Amino acid sequence: MSSSGGGGAGQQFRYTQTPSKVLHLRNLPWECTEEELVELCKPFGRIVNTKSGVGANRNQAFVEFTDVNQAISMVSYFASSSEPAQIRGKTVYIQYSNRQEIINNKSPGETAGNVLLVTIEGVQASDVTIDVIHLVFSAFGFVHKIATFEKAAGFQALIQYTDAPTASAAREALDGRSIPRYLLPDHVVSCHLRISFSAHKDLNIKFQSHRSRDYTNPYLPVNSSAIDSTLQPAVGADGRRVEAEGNVLLASIENMQYAVSVDVLHTVFSAFGTVQKIAIFEKNGGTQALIQYPDASTATIAKEALEGHCIYDGGYCS
């Protein structure tokens, strides 16, 4: 009786290896992020360390769980599953590592680069918004991109600057410091920043959302599933949108001959009052936006003034 396993599973796993709490992942997408590794592995247990970009093609990684049983559960799950482990549609091959822990050859994050890895200690992910992070780190230079995620180490963010000197200046000034209290909710007692350099050079941001931003691309689509719940219009029991007056407008933009960015909408809707939040997204093949005012009366005035009108002359973007 063969012990090699059948079909794709036999190629994906080596059953003869001694189990280890460190798993070796192969055939990863190019520049696979630490966040993507954690997303794949975290259903099986707590991850204490990762090491990505391993191998000549930088398409391998190591992931270390708290204990060996968590690693065994992940290997066992995908060994018996009809669906292989995947990241970005690529099949990922998983096996036990020969090592029992991940040891970084050099002090992690000491090689200066243009991307910072920031661990925000003492807070939950919901306590610190991406806008607050942007405000704090923009004091040292233009922030290109931000990606936030949760890991065993806590709430973390990757922050991309133009170059290593700018990132170094920000790290020098902020490492070990706290985010100002007035930018945080009242219940947060302390909030310390622990900052190192990331091996990343260019973050891969696919959507603007409450977890990630690309400040170099105003036309990047907004991930509608990630829109702040306070920006969601009310829905009645019949599933239809409730037309009761509220402080959030839902705008459908028709005849899109020109691109409409968040900045364009902010200019148009700010004429009637302070715009607190804007989210643009695609739905049913058309472009829509949610615009939030401080109160319903301001939103009502803007709705009555702008309904049916066009952003550009010639009937464009109505």
Side-chain angles (χ1 to χ4, degrees), residues 83-150:
E83 294 293 325
Q86 289 190 330
I87 294 179
R88 290 192 230 158
K90 285 196 73 173
T91 296
V92 178
Y93 300 114
I94 305 169
Q95 63 194 48
Y96 296 115
S97 170
N98 294 326
R99 63 183 80 186
Q100 293 301 311
E101 64 177 324
I102 294 174
I103 299 172
N104 296 309
N105 296 331
K106 54 190 174 187
S107 300
E110 290 305 319
T111 304
N114 66 314
V115 178
L116 297 177
L117 172 62
V118 181
T119 301
I120 306 173
E121 299 175 335
V123 299
Q124 301 295 317
S126 58
D127 293 334
V128 183
T129 68
I130 202 166
D131 294 319
V132 165
I133 296 171
H134 182 257
L135 181 66
V136 170
F137 283 84
S138 289
F140 303 92
F142 176 62
V143 173
H144 287 228
K145 301 174 184 179
I146 298 177
T148 65
F149 49 94
E150 292 174 81

Side-chain angles (χ1 to χ4, degrees), residues 34-288:
E34 186 179 45
E35 185 181 14
E36 289 174 307
L37 290 174
V38 171
E39 200 66 31
L40 175 67
C41 302
K42 72 179 181 183
F44 302 96
R46 183 167 172 265
I47 297 145
V48 295
N49 206 351
T50 62
K51 189 172 186 178
S52 55
V54 176
N57 295 322
R58 297 184 53 133
N59 64 347
Q60 301 179 43
F62 295 99
V63 175
E64 181 181 340
F65 285 97
T66 306
D67 66 63
V68 69
N69 290 323
Q70 296 169 345
I72 291 172
S73 69
M74 181 171 180
V75 170
S76 301
Y77 174 81
F78 286 114
S80 59
S81 172
S82 58
E83 294 293 325
Q86 289 190 330
I87 294 179
R88 290 192 230 158
K90 285 196 73 173
T91 296
V92 178
Y93 300 114
I94 305 169
Q95 63 194 48
Y96 296 115
S97 170
N98 294 326
R99 63 183 80 186
Q100 293 301 311
E101 64 177 324
I102 294 174
I103 299 172
N104 296 309
N105 296 331
K106 54 190 174 187
S107 300
E110 290 305 319
T111 304
N114 66 314
V115 178
L116 297 177
L117 172 62
V118 181
T119 301
I120 306 173
E121 299 175 335
V123 299
Q124 301 295 317
S126 58
D127 293 334
V128 183
T129 68
I130 202 166
D131 294 319
V132 165
I133 296 171
H134 182 257
L135 181 66
V136 170
F137 283 84
S138 289
F140 303 92
F142 176 62
V143 173
H144 287 228
K145 301 174 184 179
I146 298 177
T148 65
F149 49 94
E150 292 174 81
K151 245 196 93 180
F155 181 47
Q156 295 186 312
L158 288 167
I159 298 166
Q160 179 178 328
Y161 286 105
T162 307
D163 49 42
T166 308
S168 297
R171 182 185 182 226
E172 188 78 21
L174 294 173
D175 189 24
R177 301 288 295 277
S178 297
I179 292 177
R181 286 293 302 275
Y182 66 85
L183 295 175
L184 301 168
D186 292 338
H187 68 267
V188 176
V189 178
S190 65
C191 173
H192 291 95
L193 302 174
R194 189 158 46 81
I195 306 174
S196 60
F197 293 105
S198 168
H200 293 289
K201 302 297 180 194
D202 188 22
L203 302 179
N204 181 24
I205 306 294
K206 296 178 181 176
F207 295 101
Q208 311 283 28
S209 76
H210 68 292
R211 293 182 72 91
S212 61
R213 295 279 171 84
D214 182 345
Y215 299 96
T216 67
N217 184 0
Y219 305 116
L220 197 67
V222 170
N223 184 352
S224 56
S225 67
I227 293 171
D228 189 327
S229 60
T230 61
L231 270 173
Q232 297 289 1
V235 176
D238 59 356
R240 295 187 178 183
R241 189 164 46 84
V242 177
E243 280 293 349
E245 288 186 2
N247 64 318
V248 179
L249 298 178
L250 173 64
S252 298
I253 306 166
E254 299 171 352
N255 197 14
M256 290 272 293
Q257 296 296 317
Y258 303 106
V260 175
S261 66
V262 168
D263 290 336
V264 168
L265 289 178
H266 188 269
T267 301
V268 171
F269 284 86
S270 289
F272 305 94
T274 302
V275 173
Q276 294 177 317
K277 300 178 184 177
I278 296 177
I280 300 178
F281 55 98
E282 299 295 319
K283 189 170 183 182
N284 302 328
T287 298
Q288 297 188 337

